[in-house]
């Protein structure tokens, strides 16, 4: 990289910045306010884990970034998604297709439905290389084998000719990772990539993602509902609740001293190795209806620390400590351990 291009890329801002994103789903039952001002950013070479219970808006945020949100029923009512400073929400359909795959790529929880069952795994990787990179059949095949090798699929030379259903769950997930890397994306979004796998395979896939991310100096957004899965790989964590980021922090500080009662509740619900057989604390109550989000702090009906002000005043996102963000009225108390 030349000095000029480094200066240019710095001037253009971070790799990805999601800024005050608002999304609604207009359904027969009413308007569901699914994203309510979501902001986060990811730098090159950084892993951001996006954490939250099912329905908190993690996937909708990812779909909006990728430009694959169902519209309708989804409507983007505000915000920006900036890729190197360029607002993708204002970009043409052609530009969005260019960025998809080669700028930002995505892998999903369910590799079986993301891969096409009627084509071999190799064909699906090679097709991208031929169409988007103009590679010959032969070069594309060679590259597909290299990619399958890189994600540690044994006998890649033979496997490349097999169909997705001939792969085990873990191997399919590896194949999908290989496919997502074909166009050398700068940012990879992994949406619950290990949720459908058993624990041992989960750990292997996480290690693989981490290794690839370090090796390629890629940005990685790891979406999960399980704090345990991301503990060792995340640099920073953004916690989502009811379509908002309620806490954002470097991973170490967040695990040491959460700055939001919801994060604390997620930590308390992790299985504990030191209390074998102990019952898990689940978070009491249910996530709110997004058609009728509670007034004040959306977490207040479930919060063990709720006070009067929480029922009326929406807590603004603020910095209770350097490098940390929380949307709890009492974040300072939590972080100082009062
Ligand atoms: N196509 C859709 N139509 C209507 N509602 C949707 C659609 N996709 C997502 N939603 C709603 O948006 C909310 C957030 O969903 P999602 O982002 O998938 O949650 P998460 O990934 O955090 O589990 C949920 O309440 C979900 O029901
Ligand atoms: S603002 Fe109040 S209800 Fe919301 S998380 Fe903080 S203490 Fe709990
Ligand atoms: Mg999801």
């Amino acid at each position: 990289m030349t000095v000029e291009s480094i200066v240019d890329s710095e001037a253009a801002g971070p790799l990805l910045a999601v800024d005050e994103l608002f999304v609604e789903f207009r359904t027969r039952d009413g308007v569901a306010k699914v994203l309510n001002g979501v902001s986060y950013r990811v730098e090159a070479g950084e892993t951001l884990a996006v954490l939250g219970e099912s329905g908190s808006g993690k996937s909708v945020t990812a779909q909006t970034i990728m430009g694959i949100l169902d519209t309708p029923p989804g409507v983007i009512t505000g915000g920006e998604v900036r890729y190197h400073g360029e607002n993708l929400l204002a970009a043409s359909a052609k530009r969005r297709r260019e960025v998809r795959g080669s700028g930002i790529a995505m892998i999903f929880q369910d590799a079986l439905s993301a891969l096409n069952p009627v084509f071999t795994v190799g064909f699906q990787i090679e097709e991208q290389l031929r169409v988007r990179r103009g590679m010959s059949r032969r070069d594309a095949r060679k590259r597909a084998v290299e990619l399958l090798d890189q994600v540690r699929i044994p006998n890649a030379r033979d496997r490349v000719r097999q169909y997705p259903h001939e792969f085990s769950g873990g191997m399919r997930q590896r194949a999908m990772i290989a496919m997502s890397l074909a166009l050398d994306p700068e940012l990879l979004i992994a949406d619950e990539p290990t949720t459908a796998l058993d624990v041992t395979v989960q750990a292997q896939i996480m290690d693989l993602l981490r290794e690839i991310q370090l090796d390629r100096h890629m940005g990685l957004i790891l979406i999960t509902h399980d704090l345990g899965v991301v503990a060792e790989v995340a640099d920073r964590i953004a916690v989502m609740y009811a379509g908002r980021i309620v806490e954002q922090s470097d991973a170490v500080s967040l695990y040491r001293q959460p700055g939001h009662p919801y994060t604390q509740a997620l930590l308390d619900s992790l299985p504990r190795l030191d209390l074998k057989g102990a019952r898990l604390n689940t978070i009491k109550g249910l996530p709110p209806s997004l058609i009728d989000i509670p007034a004040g702090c959306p977490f207040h009906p479930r919060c063990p620390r709720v006070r009067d002000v929480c029922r009326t005043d929406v807590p603004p996102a603020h910095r209770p400590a350097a490098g940390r963000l929380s949307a709890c009225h009492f974040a300072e108390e939590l972080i100082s351990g009062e």
Side-chain angles (χ1 to χ4, degrees), residues 65-278:
I65 295 169
M66 287 297 286
I68 56 170
L69 183 72
D70 282 335
T71 50
V75 186
I76 301 168
T77 54
E80 293 190 347
V81 171
R82 291 194 304 276
Y83 170 63
H84 289 299
E86 173 190 8
N87 181 14
L88 295 178
L89 300 185
S92 66
K94 177 169 173 278
R95 175 68 185 140
R96 296 228 73 178
R97 277 196 302 275
E98 268 169 26
V99 173
R100 241 191 325 271
S102 64
I104 311 175
M106 186 162 170
I107 58 173
F108 303 87
Q109 175 179 332
D110 182 4
L112 200 53
S113 62
L115 293 165
N116 192 326
V118 304
F119 295 112
T120 63
V121 166
F123 179 87
Q124 298 183 55
I125 299 174
E126 291 155 27
E127 190 189 39
Q128 294 189 70
L129 294 166
R130 293 204 310 269
V131 174
R132 303 275 300 266
R133 292 280 187 266
M135 271 191 192
S136 68
R137 234 165 237 286
R138 221 178 122 180
D139 288 349
R141 170 57 53 103
K142 197 166 150 244
R143 183 75 187 124
V145 172
E146 280 169 13
L147 284 162
L148 292 182
D149 245 352
Q150 258 173 38
V151 297
R152 309 257 157 68
I153 291 183
N155 309 321
R157 220 169 274 282
D158 300 325
R159 287 292 207 159
V160 78
R161 291 192 208 96
Q162 291 184 330
Y163 291 87
H165 71 264
E166 297 178 79
F167 281 55
S168 67
M171 286 297 152
R172 263 197 304 268
Q173 199 55 274
R174 287 171 191 269
M176 188 160 57
I177 294 170
M179 198 157 95
S180 73
L181 297 176
L183 301 176
D184 293 317
E186 292 180 277
L187 175 69
L188 181 64
I189 304 177
D191 192 355
E192 312 249 8
T194 63
T195 302
L197 306 172
D198 71 49
V199 179
T200 319
V201 184
Q202 263 186 10
Q204 291 165 357
I205 297 286
M206 273 305 152
D207 287 348
L208 175 68
L209 281 172
R210 180 64 166 171
E211 184 192 304
I212 289 168
Q213 182 258 330
L214 289 172
D215 189 45
R216 294 175 172 242
H217 199 61
M218 245 179 3
L220 177 63
I221 299 179
L222 255 183
I223 298 174
T224 179
H225 64 275
D226 184 351
L227 249 180
V229 168
V230 295
E232 285 173 14
V233 293
D235 299 308
R236 273 188 313 121
I237 297 183
V239 181
M240 280 189 84
Y241 189 77
R244 291 177 174 84
I245 304 285
V246 294
E247 172 160 20
Q248 224 181 121
S249 165
D250 67 278
V252 174
S253 311
L254 180 136
Y255 282 94
R256 195 172 293 150
Q257 194 71 71
H260 194 285
Y262 179 60
T263 313
Q264 180 73 61
L266 288 173
L267 280 173
D268 291 345
S269 66
L270 283 176
R272 290 189 42 185
L273 294 175
D274 54 335
L275 299 174
K276 232 181 178 174

Side-chain angles (χ1 to χ4, degrees), residues 53 241 260-263 265 283-284 288 294 296-304:
E53 283 165 294
Y241 189 77
H260 194 285
Y262 179 60
T263 313
I283 305 175
K284 69 167 191 185
C297 172
F299 187 55
H300 87 250
R302 305 171 77 186
C303 182

Side-chain angles (χ1 to χ4, degrees), residues 25 27 34 53-60 70 73 290:
F25 280 98
T27 67
V34 169
E53 283 165 294
S54 174
S56 54
K58 306 180 299 294
S59 296
V60 168
D70 282 335
L290 299 174

